[in-house]
Amino acid sequence: MVANTGVAHLAAAVQTAVVSLFAPVVPAACWSPYGVPVALLGDQHAPCRGSRAVHCPVPGHPCLTVVSAVAACDALDQLTARGARTAAHALERQ
């Protein structure tokens, strides 16, 4: 799990699934990692959306405070389970 897109892109570069806490200050469609399974967590419709802010302009950081540790762990579990199923399927086809 990462909270910075730089680290998320490094993980994707080495073919690692990514759970990213992604603030909507830039569009996820343009800046999220690609080529690997990705779970983007965070309210992508929060008031800071599209602001390109470096420091959150909205008190309380509502776009990310809605993400619980349980939600992050659940997303990670789902991605790793999907990866395990994909790997098992690939082995079956060999």
Side-chain angles (χ1 to χ4, degrees), residues 34-78:
Y34 57 91
V36 297
V38 176
L40 294 176
L41 303 180
D43 179 2
Q44 298 303 298
H45 301 287
C48 62
R49 180 185 63 196
S51 68
R52 301 189 71 80
V54 175
H55 300 285
C56 184
V58 182
H61 309 288
C63 64
L64 294 177
T65 56
V66 297
V67 179
S68 69
V70 171
C73 290
D74 286 347
L76 181 60
D77 287 346
Q78 289 173 6

Side-chain angles (χ1 to χ4, degrees), residues 17 19 37 73-89:
V19 174
C73 290
D74 286 347
L76 181 60
D77 287 346
Q78 289 173 6
L79 286 180
T80 55
R82 185 184 327 157
R85 285 191 305 271
T86 302
H89 182 66

Side-chain angles (χ1 to χ4, degrees), residues 2 5-18 32-38:
V2 298
T5 60
V7 177
H9 290 291
L10 288 174
V14 295
Q15 299 300 300
T16 300
V18 176
S32 66
Y34 57 91
V36 297
V38 176

